[in-house]
Each structure stands twice: as structure tokens, then as C-alpha cells.
Amino acid sequence: MAHHSPANVPAADPTKPVHIVFVGAGAVGCFYASRLHYPDHNIHVSLIGRSNYAALAKDGVQLQTRSFGNYVFHPHAVYPSANAAGGVPNSSTSSDVPPPPPGGWDYVVVTTKALPDRVDDSATIAPLVGPKSTIVLIQNGVGVEAPYRARFPDTTIISGVTIISAEQVKPGVIRQNRWTRLHIGPYTTSAESSSSSASPPSASVDPNSALTKRGTEATERLTDWWTRLGGIRDIDPLDEVGLQTVRWHKLCINAAFNPSAVLSGGRGNADMASDPEMRIHLRAIMDEIWAAAPRILGRPFPSELATPDKILASTDRNKGARPSMLLDWEAGRPLELEVIVGNPVRIARARGVELPRMQSLYALLRSAQSVREQKQKEAKGKL
Ligand SMILES: NC(=O)c1ccc[n+]([C@@H]2O[C@H](COP(=O)([O-])OP(=O)(O)OC[C@H]3O[C@@H](n4cnc5c(N)ncnc54)[C@H](OP(=O)(O)O)[C@@H]3O)[C@@H](O)[C@H]2O)c1
């Protein structure tokens, strides 16, 4: 896997402030934002809250972390919406809301749940994106970048995928239970070639393009800041195809366990893996992705990534873990099913690869979600 060295990356220019805004101030967003806000180095992080806006604006973010202890993160500014942070006139009724930075946002980091069937977050962030902005996406699944590339053809985009266990225990209070791993890398691929071209990214990504160069530089800068200033030890910068490889590898876990946890009636990962028939099913999903990803990406999984056997063995040890999709299902929230099962099926199909087990999961889960929503609507109608 091609790694870029973060060595010799200058810190922020002390005369030029760097302004970073996080859209999606939940578990992942608040944790990574809190490790990037270093006003002494002229790096200033702001948050956009939504249901937790009042708590964030009043007290900042309380962090309870396994990796860095407990601390309070006071962001540079807190906004009630992307429109307010983009300075859209009349977007905020409160006079306390600060104006956006005069030079615009240098980095717009998106850490919402990826729900492209519900909302186009590339449109949500449009007021924040200016000519010098870099968009950073830290979300699960594959194909999450395509709407952003389509809307912002010339904007630097960084794609990121994290292995962390974190939750917002109440508004403005974030608990990080374990892990801090974040893979990041440039994303240049045109929307067309990312979703409908038969050629794999390894053939269509131009490593010498200006977008790749800008994306690689931004990846190195963020890696340096999160590592050297934020103290996170496992920020892992990759090249474009390498990053996509990690996204597909993470699907081996997320696509096997998350939909199955819902469809099996609400079971945790180790519990499912202890059921012999379920274990065959989980293993077969992983094997399906394992065999397909190199054909889709044009590059094999690197040897340091855990094989399905290793993933199952660590699942057996990690008793009690319940995937986020199951928590979302139980709370009646929409599921990240398009980016975790729908997009993989579609992207593979566009490259001539069928994922039959994934397709079954996708069809069943999408149906289960729509039946549930119909029932929720009917129940509301009866009130
Ligand atoms: N948590 C983990 O341990 C973990 C681990 C690995 C990967 N991930 C991935 O990381 C991503 C983020 O997950 P998360 O757990 O951090 O989710 P989360 O805690 O639910 O946070 C998402 C936040 O985004 C906010 N939001 C959504 N749309 C918004 C908008 N238009 N404007 C402002 N705020 C908006 C939500 O606000 P509301 O409260 O108003 O809805 C919520 O606070 C997902 O793709 C997830 O799969 C999470």
C-alpha cells in the first residue's frame, strides 16, 4: 500500500489562520474535531450542531475518552446550520451566531451519517465550499464521495474511513470507548467513472493530476496535524486506490454484521458468530467481498489487512458489541444501508461483478426499513 510520508509538512502559516468546520457534530465529528483545534498553531475548528446545537453553543463538547482522558473542547465557533456557517442571509434567527471566517472555510469536514437516500449532504454543505476549500468525508461505506465530486468537480476532496467506537451519550457529551484509527487519502475520480465505468479506479485514477497533487498535500497536512498536534498515533495516509481498498475491506465487517444484526432479529456480532448457520452466512458475505474487491478496484487487498478468519476470531473475543446499524434500527432512525450494501452492489455490477449475497441483504433490509416506516406513519396517523 502506498504511504505518503507526512515528514517536512509545515505547520499552519502563523500569519494565516486555518479555518476548519465540521458538519455533523456527533460522535465521530466531535472526537476528530477536538484533536484538530490548536489556536496556538493558528488552526481553528468550528462545529455545526443540529439537535445538540444549544448544548454545544453553551458548554462546548465534553469528551470522555479512553485514549486521551476526559477534557472539554471549546470550538472556535458553533453554528446552528450549514447555511448559518456559510453566511447565507437570514439563515439564523439568533444574533449570537458569529459570521463565517472572512477568507472562507479551508476545510469542510463531513461526519454526518451517510444517508444519500434521505438527504444530499453535498447540497447541505454547498454554502461552505469556496475556491480554496478542501472537503473531507469521514463516513462508512463506499461510493459516499460521488455526489460531492459531481457537485464540486474541481474541489479537493479527501476521503476518510475510521475504526473507532464512539457515541454521543447525551447532547454535547461524547464517549470514545476504543480505537482512533483513521485512514485518509485523496479522492479525484469523476462521478461518472466512480459509479458507472467498467474500468477499475486503479486504471482511471491519474496520479499526476492537479487534483491528486492537491489531495495528497491536504492528506499530508491533516495527517501531520492530527498526529503531531492531536497526538493520534494511527492516522494512516494512503493513495486514492489504497484508501478505496480500505473502504472495501471495512465493508467485510460492516456489510456482513450490520444488516445481519437487524435481519436476524437484533443480535450482537459475537452472538451471531456463535450460531453455526449464521457463522456460515457471515463468512460467505466476507468471502464474497474479499473475492470481488480486487476485481472492482484493480488492486488486491494488502497483506496487513485482516482476513475473514481474523475478523471472525476478533469478533468472537469482542463479546457484547452491537453494530451501529442495529442501534439505529432500534431507535427508529434511518439506516446507512445505501452506502453499506446498496452502493457496493451497484458499483460492483457496473464493473461486471455480481454480489448475490449482498444483493439479498440489500433487498431484504431496504424492504424491512420501508415496511417499518409505513407502520411508523400509520401509528402517527392514529394519534
Ligand atoms: N460512532 C462510531 O463509533 C463510528 C465508527 C466508525 C464509523 N462511523 C461512521 O462515522 C459516520 C458518523 O457517525 P457518528 O456515529 O458520528 O454519527 P452521529 O453520532 O449520529 O453523528 C452524526 C451527527 O450529524 C448531525 N447531522 C446530520 N445532518 C446534519 C446537518 N444537515 N446539519 C448539521 N448536523 C447534521 C446529526 O445531528 P442530529 O443529532 O440532529 O441528527 C448528528 O449529530 C457514519 O458514517 C458512521 O457509520 C461511526
mmCIF file of all heavy atoms in Angstrom, residues 214-251:
data_model
loop_
_atom_site.group_PDB
_atom_site.id
_atom_site.type_symbol
_atom_site.label_atom_id
_atom_site.label_comp_id
_atom_site.label_asym_id
_atom_site.label_seq_id
_atom_site.Cartn_x
_atom_site.Cartn_y
_atom_site.Cartn_z
ATOM 1 N N ARG A 214 -3.120 18.076 -5.156
ATOM 2 C CA ARG A 214 -3.697 18.878 -4.066
ATOM 3 C C ARG A 214 -4.252 17.976 -2.966
ATOM 4 O O ARG A 214 -4.111 18.254 -1.783
ATOM 5 C CB ARG A 214 -4.822 19.772 -4.604
ATOM 6 C CG ARG A 214 -4.306 21.058 -5.263
ATOM 7 C CD ARG A 214 -5.456 22.015 -5.517
ATOM 8 N NE ARG A 214 -6.036 21.838 -6.830
ATOM 9 C CZ ARG A 214 -7.331 21.760 -7.096
ATOM 10 N NH1 ARG A 214 -8.211 21.828 -6.121
ATOM 11 N NH2 ARG A 214 -7.766 21.598 -8.325
ATOM 12 N N GLY A 215 -4.880 16.885 -3.392
ATOM 13 C CA GLY A 215 -5.453 15.947 -2.418
ATOM 14 C C GLY A 215 -4.368 15.293 -1.574
ATOM 15 O O GLY A 215 -4.531 15.102 -0.365
ATOM 16 N N THR A 216 -3.255 14.965 -2.207
ATOM 17 C CA THR A 216 -2.160 14.328 -1.478
ATOM 18 C C THR A 216 -1.547 15.312 -0.483
ATOM 19 O O THR A 216 -1.260 14.954 0.669
ATOM 20 C CB THR A 216 -1.088 13.828 -2.479
ATOM 21 O OG1 THR A 216 -1.738 12.954 -3.409
ATOM 22 C CG2 THR A 216 0.029 13.085 -1.770
ATOM 23 N N GLU A 217 -1.405 16.561 -0.909
ATOM 24 C CA GLU A 217 -0.846 17.570 0.011
ATOM 25 C C GLU A 217 -1.780 17.789 1.202
ATOM 26 O O GLU A 217 -1.329 17.868 2.348
ATOM 27 C CB GLU A 217 -0.657 18.913 -0.724
ATOM 28 C CG GLU A 217 0.591 18.930 -1.582
ATOM 29 C CD GLU A 217 0.611 20.108 -2.572
ATOM 30 O OE1 GLU A 217 -0.265 21.016 -2.478
ATOM 31 O OE2 GLU A 217 1.498 20.095 -3.420
ATOM 32 N N ALA A 218 -3.070 17.879 0.927
ATOM 33 C CA ALA A 218 -4.025 18.090 2.027
ATOM 34 C C ALA A 218 -4.035 16.877 2.961
ATOM 35 O O ALA A 218 -4.138 17.024 4.190
ATOM 36 C CB ALA A 218 -5.423 18.352 1.467
ATOM 37 N N THR A 219 -3.928 15.684 2.389
ATOM 38 C CA THR A 219 -3.864 14.463 3.206
ATOM 39 C C THR A 219 -2.654 14.527 4.135
ATOM 40 O O THR A 219 -2.738 14.209 5.335
ATOM 41 C CB THR A 219 -3.757 13.225 2.286
ATOM 42 O OG1 THR A 219 -4.922 13.165 1.474
ATOM 43 C CG2 THR A 219 -3.633 11.946 3.090
ATOM 44 N N GLU A 220 -1.517 14.952 3.594
ATOM 45 C CA GLU A 220 -0.292 15.017 4.402
ATOM 46 C C GLU A 220 -0.417 16.064 5.510
ATOM 47 O O GLU A 220 0.005 15.855 6.645
ATOM 48 C CB GLU A 220 0.914 15.327 3.515
ATOM 49 C CG GLU A 220 1.261 14.136 2.641
ATOM 50 C CD GLU A 220 2.369 14.410 1.631
ATOM 51 O OE1 GLU A 220 2.809 15.574 1.527
ATOM 52 O OE2 GLU A 220 2.768 13.458 0.949
ATOM 53 N N ARG A 221 -1.028 17.194 5.175
ATOM 54 C CA ARG A 221 -1.167 18.259 6.169
ATOM 55 C C ARG A 221 -2.061 17.797 7.325
ATOM 56 O O ARG A 221 -1.718 17.945 8.494
ATOM 57 C CB ARG A 221 -1.783 19.487 5.494
ATOM 58 C CG ARG A 221 -1.227 20.777 6.011
ATOM 59 C CD ARG A 221 -1.575 21.945 5.104
ATOM 60 N NE ARG A 221 -0.804 21.940 3.892
ATOM 61 C CZ ARG A 221 -1.318 22.026 2.653
ATOM 62 N NH1 ARG A 221 -2.620 22.126 2.471
ATOM 63 N NH2 ARG A 221 -0.534 22.020 1.610
ATOM 64 N N LEU A 222 -3.223 17.207 6.975
ATOM 65 C CA LEU A 222 -4.143 16.745 8.029
ATOM 66 C C LEU A 222 -3.502 15.640 8.858
ATOM 67 O O LEU A 222 -3.663 15.584 10.081
ATOM 68 C CB LEU A 222 -5.447 16.238 7.397
ATOM 69 C CG LEU A 222 -6.378 17.325 6.863
ATOM 70 C CD1 LEU A 222 -7.494 16.699 6.017
ATOM 71 C CD2 LEU A 222 -6.996 18.129 8.009
ATOM 72 N N THR A 223 -2.778 14.747 8.185
ATOM 73 C CA THR A 223 -2.097 13.667 8.914
ATOM 74 C C THR A 223 -1.130 14.257 9.926
ATOM 75 O O THR A 223 -1.075 13.836 11.085
ATOM 76 C CB THR A 223 -1.330 12.760 7.917
ATOM 77 O OG1 THR A 223 -2.262 12.215 7.002
ATOM 78 C CG2 THR A 223 -0.597 11.633 8.646
ATOM 79 N N ASP A 224 -0.377 15.257 9.482
ATOM 80 C CA ASP A 224 0.600 15.896 10.365
ATOM 81 C C ASP A 224 -0.100 16.538 11.565
ATOM 82 O O ASP A 224 0.312 16.346 12.712
ATOM 83 C CB ASP A 224 1.373 16.947 9.558
ATOM 84 C CG ASP A 224 2.355 17.701 10.427
ATOM 85 O OD1 ASP A 224 3.191 17.044 11.079
ATOM 86 O OD2 ASP A 224 2.277 18.946 10.477
ATOM 87 N N TRP A 225 -1.167 17.283 11.305
ATOM 88 C CA TRP A 225 -1.839 17.980 12.410
ATOM 89 C C TRP A 225 -2.459 16.988 13.398
ATOM 90 O O TRP A 225 -2.307 17.126 14.612
ATOM 91 C CB TRP A 225 -2.928 18.918 11.860
ATOM 92 C CG TRP A 225 -2.369 20.065 11.056
ATOM 93 C CD1 TRP A 225 -1.083 20.551 11.094
ATOM 94 C CD2 TRP A 225 -3.073 20.843 10.086
ATOM 95 N NE1 TRP A 225 -0.956 21.584 10.205
ATOM 96 C CE2 TRP A 225 -2.158 21.800 9.573
ATOM 97 C CE3 TRP A 225 -4.377 20.841 9.606
ATOM 98 C CZ2 TRP A 225 -2.505 22.731 8.599
ATOM 99 C CZ3 TRP A 225 -4.739 21.775 8.648
ATOM 100 C CH2 TRP A 225 -3.806 22.711 8.144
ATOM 101 N N TRP A 226 -3.182 15.998 12.869
ATOM 102 C CA TRP A 226 -3.829 15.045 13.782
ATOM 103 C C TRP A 226 -2.787 14.229 14.553
ATOM 104 O O TRP A 226 -3.000 13.867 15.706
ATOM 105 C CB TRP A 226 -4.751 14.090 12.991
ATOM 106 C CG TRP A 226 -6.192 14.492 12.998
ATOM 107 C CD1 TRP A 226 -6.938 14.936 14.060
ATOM 108 C CD2 TRP A 226 -7.090 14.483 11.868
ATOM 109 N NE1 TRP A 226 -8.236 15.190 13.653
ATOM 110 C CE2 TRP A 226 -8.359 14.920 12.328
ATOM 111 C CE3 TRP A 226 -6.949 14.124 10.525
ATOM 112 C CZ2 TRP A 226 -9.479 15.013 11.500
ATOM 113 C CZ3 TRP A 226 -8.061 14.218 9.698
ATOM 114 C CH2 TRP A 226 -9.307 14.665 10.176
ATOM 115 N N THR A 227 -1.649 13.971 13.893
ATOM 116 C CA THR A 227 -0.640 13.130 14.541
ATOM 117 C C THR A 227 0.197 13.953 15.524
ATOM 118 O O THR A 227 0.255 13.646 16.714
ATOM 119 C CB THR A 227 0.305 12.529 13.467
ATOM 120 O OG1 THR A 227 -0.481 11.889 12.467
ATOM 121 C CG2 THR A 227 1.272 11.531 14.086
ATOM 122 N N ARG A 228 0.824 15.005 15.014
ATOM 123 C CA ARG A 228 1.803 15.750 15.808
ATOM 124 C C ARG A 228 1.105 16.633 16.832
ATOM 125 O O ARG A 228 1.521 16.699 17.988
ATOM 126 C CB ARG A 228 2.661 16.597 14.864
ATOM 127 C CG ARG A 228 3.880 17.231 15.497
ATOM 128 C CD ARG A 228 4.804 17.811 14.435
ATOM 129 N NE ARG A 228 4.091 18.588 13.427
ATOM 130 C CZ ARG A 228 3.730 19.868 13.566
ATOM 131 N NH1 ARG A 228 4.005 20.508 14.672
ATOM 132 N NH2 ARG A 228 3.089 20.506 12.592
ATOM 133 N N LEU A 229 0.047 17.311 16.441
ATOM 134 C CA LEU A 229 -0.638 18.193 17.382
ATOM 135 C C LEU A 229 -1.696 17.417 18.167
ATOM 136 O O LEU A 229 -1.778 17.516 19.379
ATOM 137 C CB LEU A 229 -1.295 19.367 16.639
ATOM 138 C CG LEU A 229 -0.360 20.215 15.755
ATOM 139 C CD1 LEU A 229 -1.149 21.305 15.024
ATOM 140 C CD2 LEU A 229 0.743 20.844 16.599
ATOM 141 N N GLY A 230 -2.504 16.632 17.463
ATOM 142 C CA GLY A 230 -3.620 15.933 18.105
ATOM 143 C C GLY A 230 -3.202 14.692 18.879
ATOM 144 O O GLY A 230 -3.972 14.178 19.684
ATOM 145 N N GLY A 231 -1.982 14.188 18.612
ATOM 146 C CA GLY A 231 -1.474 13.041 19.364
ATOM 147 C C GLY A 231 -2.113 11.708 18.996
ATOM 148 O O GLY A 231 -1.992 10.733 19.743
ATOM 149 N N ILE A 232 -2.792 11.656 17.847
ATOM 150 C CA ILE A 232 -3.391 10.375 17.435
ATOM 151 C C ILE A 232 -2.304 9.577 16.723
ATOM 152 O O ILE A 232 -1.662 10.061 15.791
ATOM 153 C CB ILE A 232 -4.611 10.607 16.518
ATOM 154 C CG1 ILE A 232 -5.662 11.450 17.239
ATOM 155 C CG2 ILE A 232 -5.206 9.267 16.095
ATOM 156 C CD1 ILE A 232 -6.931 11.708 16.434
ATOM 157 N N ARG A 233 -2.119 8.344 17.172
ATOM 158 C CA ARG A 233 -0.975 7.591 16.665
ATOM 159 C C ARG A 233 -1.258 6.818 15.390
ATOM 160 O O ARG A 233 -0.346 6.352 14.721
ATOM 161 C CB ARG A 233 -0.483 6.623 17.748
ATOM 162 C CG ARG A 233 0.378 7.330 18.787
ATOM 163 C CD ARG A 233 1.108 6.322 19.611
ATOM 164 N NE ARG A 233 0.129 5.504 20.319
ATOM 165 C CZ ARG A 233 0.140 5.325 21.629
ATOM 166 N NH1 ARG A 233 1.077 5.862 22.350
ATOM 167 N NH2 ARG A 233 -0.777 4.588 22.219
ATOM 168 N N ASP A 234 -2.533 6.620 15.071
ATOM 169 C CA ASP A 234 -2.791 5.763 13.904
ATOM 170 C C ASP A 234 -3.624 6.466 12.833
ATOM 171 O O ASP A 234 -4.625 5.952 12.350
ATOM 172 C CB ASP A 234 -3.406 4.414 14.304
ATOM 173 C CG ASP A 234 -4.480 4.542 15.366
ATOM 174 O OD1 ASP A 234 -4.823 5.686 15.742
ATOM 175 O OD2 ASP A 234 -4.980 3.501 15.820
ATOM 176 N N ILE A 235 -3.173 7.648 12.474
ATOM 177 C CA ILE A 235 -3.696 8.312 11.275
ATOM 178 C C ILE A 235 -2.870 7.757 10.117
ATOM 179 O O ILE A 235 -1.637 7.806 10.135
ATOM 180 C CB ILE A 235 -3.498 9.842 11.336
ATOM 181 C CG1 ILE A 235 -4.133 10.440 12.593
ATOM 182 C CG2 ILE A 235 -4.033 10.503 10.057
ATOM 183 C CD1 ILE A 235 -5.631 10.524 12.600
ATOM 184 N N ASP A 236 -3.537 7.202 9.126
ATOM 185 C CA ASP A 236 -2.819 6.455 8.090
ATOM 186 C C ASP A 236 -3.103 7.054 6.712
ATOM 187 O O ASP A 236 -4.187 6.850 6.153
ATOM 188 C CB ASP A 236 -3.308 5.001 8.159
ATOM 189 C CG ASP A 236 -2.238 4.042 7.713
ATOM 190 O OD1 ASP A 236 -1.265 4.493 7.081
ATOM 191 O OD2 ASP A 236 -2.386 2.834 7.984
ATOM 192 N N PRO A 237 -2.160 7.823 6.149
ATOM 193 C CA PRO A 237 -2.400 8.419 4.833
ATOM 194 C C PRO A 237 -2.150 7.411 3.715
ATOM 195 O O PRO A 237 -1.158 6.677 3.753
ATOM 196 C CB PRO A 237 -1.368 9.554 4.773
ATOM 197 C CG PRO A 237 -0.248 9.108 5.663
ATOM 198 C CD PRO A 237 -0.853 8.222 6.722
ATOM 199 N N LEU A 238 -3.044 7.394 2.752
ATOM 200 C CA LEU A 238 -2.954 6.428 1.654
ATOM 201 C C LEU A 238 -3.131 7.136 0.326
ATOM 202 O O LEU A 238 -3.601 8.274 0.267
ATOM 203 C CB LEU A 238 -4.072 5.378 1.792
ATOM 204 C CG LEU A 238 -4.059 4.538 3.065
ATOM 205 C CD1 LEU A 238 -5.332 3.710 3.156
ATOM 206 C CD2 LEU A 238 -2.847 3.621 3.075
ATOM 207 N N ASP A 239 -2.801 6.440 -0.754
ATOM 208 C CA ASP A 239 -3.131 6.991 -2.069
ATOM 209 C C ASP A 239 -4.596 6.640 -2.378
ATOM 210 O O ASP A 239 -5.283 5.975 -1.581
ATOM 211 C CB ASP A 239 -2.155 6.502 -3.153
ATOM 212 C CG ASP A 239 -2.347 5.037 -3.492
ATOM 213 O OD1 ASP A 239 -3.269 4.392 -2.950
ATOM 214 O OD2 ASP A 239 -1.575 4.521 -4.315
ATOM 215 N N GLU A 240 -5.080 7.125 -3.516
ATOM 216 C CA GLU A 240 -6.525 7.044 -3.784
ATOM 217 C C GLU A 240 -7.046 5.599 -3.814
ATOM 218 O O GLU A 240 -8.040 5.280 -3.159
ATOM 219 C CB GLU A 240 -6.839 7.752 -5.113
ATOM 220 C CG GLU A 240 -8.318 7.725 -5.453
ATOM 221 C CD GLU A 240 -8.735 8.844 -6.399
ATOM 222 O OE1 GLU A 240 -7.897 9.704 -6.735
ATOM 223 O OE2 GLU A 240 -9.907 8.855 -6.791
ATOM 224 N N VAL A 241 -6.375 4.752 -4.556
ATOM 225 C CA VAL A 241 -6.872 3.372 -4.648
ATOM 226 C C VAL A 241 -6.657 2.648 -3.314
ATOM 227 O O VAL A 241 -7.492 1.839 -2.886
ATOM 228 C CB VAL A 241 -6.206 2.622 -5.831
ATOM 229 C CG1 VAL A 241 -6.726 1.188 -5.927
ATOM 230 C CG2 VAL A 241 -6.469 3.362 -7.143
ATOM 231 N N GLY A 242 -5.549 2.985 -2.640
ATOM 232 C CA GLY A 242 -5.303 2.379 -1.327
ATOM 233 C C GLY A 242 -6.424 2.702 -0.354
ATOM 234 O O GLY A 242 -6.894 1.848 0.406
ATOM 235 N N LEU A 243 -6.902 3.941 -0.377
ATOM 236 C CA LEU A 243 -7.985 4.343 0.525
ATOM 237 C C LEU A 243 -9.275 3.590 0.172
ATOM 238 O O LEU A 243 -9.990 3.108 1.050
ATOM 239 C CB LEU A 243 -8.172 5.863 0.443
ATOM 240 C CG LEU A 243 -9.042 6.563 1.472
ATOM 241 C CD1 LEU A 243 -10.515 6.505 1.129
ATOM 242 C CD2 LEU A 243 -8.823 6.047 2.900
ATOM 243 N N GLN A 244 -9.549 3.470 -1.122
ATOM 244 C CA GLN A 244 -10.757 2.731 -1.527
ATOM 245 C C GLN A 244 -10.638 1.264 -1.111
ATOM 246 O O GLN A 244 -11.634 0.625 -0.757
ATOM 247 C CB GLN A 244 -10.987 2.851 -3.039
ATOM 248 C CG GLN A 244 -11.380 4.264 -3.483
ATOM 249 C CD GLN A 244 -12.619 4.799 -2.758
ATOM 250 O OE1 GLN A 244 -13.596 4.084 -2.551
ATOM 251 N NE2 GLN A 244 -12.570 6.055 -2.344
ATOM 252 N N THR A 245 -9.426 0.730 -1.161
ATOM 253 C CA THR A 245 -9.215 -0.664 -0.740
ATOM 254 C C THR A 245 -9.596 -0.828 0.734
ATOM 255 O O THR A 245 -10.251 -1.802 1.114
ATOM 256 C CB THR A 245 -7.724 -1.041 -0.955
ATOM 257 O OG1 THR A 245 -7.372 -0.714 -2.286
ATOM 258 C CG2 THR A 245 -7.485 -2.507 -0.718
ATOM 259 N N VAL A 246 -9.211 0.154 1.547
ATOM 260 C CA VAL A 246 -9.563 0.085 2.969
ATOM 261 C C VAL A 246 -11.071 0.215 3.157
ATOM 262 O O VAL A 246 -11.676 -0.475 3.983
ATOM 263 C CB VAL A 246 -8.810 1.173 3.773
ATOM 264 C CG1 VAL A 246 -9.319 1.252 5.202
ATOM 265 C CG2 VAL A 246 -7.322 0.875 3.768
ATOM 266 N N ARG A 247 -11.719 1.084 2.357
ATOM 267 C CA ARG A 247 -13.189 1.191 2.443
ATOM 268 C C ARG A 247 -13.843 -0.165 2.150
ATOM 269 O O ARG A 247 -14.752 -0.586 2.864
ATOM 270 C CB ARG A 247 -13.723 2.222 1.440
ATOM 271 C CG ARG A 247 -13.606 3.659 1.905
ATOM 272 C CD ARG A 247 -14.526 4.561 1.085
ATOM 273 N NE ARG A 247 -14.473 5.928 1.567
ATOM 274 C CZ ARG A 247 -15.154 6.394 2.617
ATOM 275 N NH1 ARG A 247 -15.982 5.613 3.275
ATOM 276 N NH2 ARG A 247 -15.034 7.649 2.988
ATOM 277 N N TRP A 248 -13.390 -0.823 1.084
ATOM 278 C CA TRP A 248 -13.980 -2.122 0.745
ATOM 279 C C TRP A 248 -13.644 -3.157 1.799
ATOM 280 O O TRP A 248 -14.461 -4.022 2.115
ATOM 281 C CB TRP A 248 -13.540 -2.578 -0.663
ATOM 282 C CG TRP A 248 -14.333 -1.886 -1.731
ATOM 283 C CD1 TRP A 248 -14.079 -0.662 -2.281
ATOM 284 C CD2 TRP A 248 -15.539 -2.363 -2.353
ATOM 285 N NE1 TRP A 248 -15.052 -0.341 -3.205
ATOM 286 C CE2 TRP A 248 -15.951 -1.370 -3.281
ATOM 287 C CE3 TRP A 248 -16.301 -3.521 -2.239
ATOM 288 C CZ2 TRP A 248 -17.097 -1.509 -4.070
ATOM 289 C CZ3 TRP A 248 -17.444 -3.662 -3.028
ATOM 290 C CH2 TRP A 248 -17.837 -2.660 -3.932
ATOM 291 N N HIS A 249 -12.457 -3.058 2.357
ATOM 292 C CA HIS A 249 -12.106 -4.024 3.409
ATOM 293 C C HIS A 249 -13.012 -3.839 4.628
ATOM 294 O O HIS A 249 -13.493 -4.803 5.222
ATOM 295 C CB HIS A 249 -10.634 -3.873 3.822
ATOM 296 C CG HIS A 249 -10.239 -4.856 4.875
ATOM 297 N ND1 HIS A 249 -10.205 -4.530 6.211
ATOM 298 C CD2 HIS A 249 -9.945 -6.186 4.803
ATOM 299 C CE1 HIS A 249 -9.877 -5.606 6.907
ATOM 300 N NE2 HIS A 249 -9.716 -6.619 6.080
ATOM 301 N N LYS A 250 -13.280 -2.561 4.975
ATOM 302 C CA LYS A 250 -14.138 -2.327 6.141
ATOM 303 C C LYS A 250 -15.552 -2.845 5.897
ATOM 304 O O LYS A 250 -16.264 -3.210 6.836
ATOM 305 C CB LYS A 250 -14.144 -0.844 6.534
ATOM 306 C CG LYS A 250 -14.454 -0.698 8.022
ATOM 307 C CD LYS A 250 -14.558 0.686 8.545
ATOM 308 C CE LYS A 250 -15.113 0.589 9.974
ATOM 309 N NZ LYS A 250 -15.724 1.828 10.439
ATOM 310 N N LEU A 251 -15.936 -2.893 4.616
ATOM 311 C CA LEU A 251 -17.250 -3.465 4.288
ATOM 312 C C LEU A 251 -17.334 -4.937 4.693
ATOM 313 O O LEU A 251 -18.423 -5.442 4.973
ATOM 314 C CB LEU A 251 -17.490 -3.421 2.777
ATOM 315 C CG LEU A 251 -18.074 -2.183 2.138
ATOM 316 C CD1 LEU A 251 -18.394 -2.515 0.694
ATOM 317 C CD2 LEU A 251 -19.309 -1.695 2.873
#
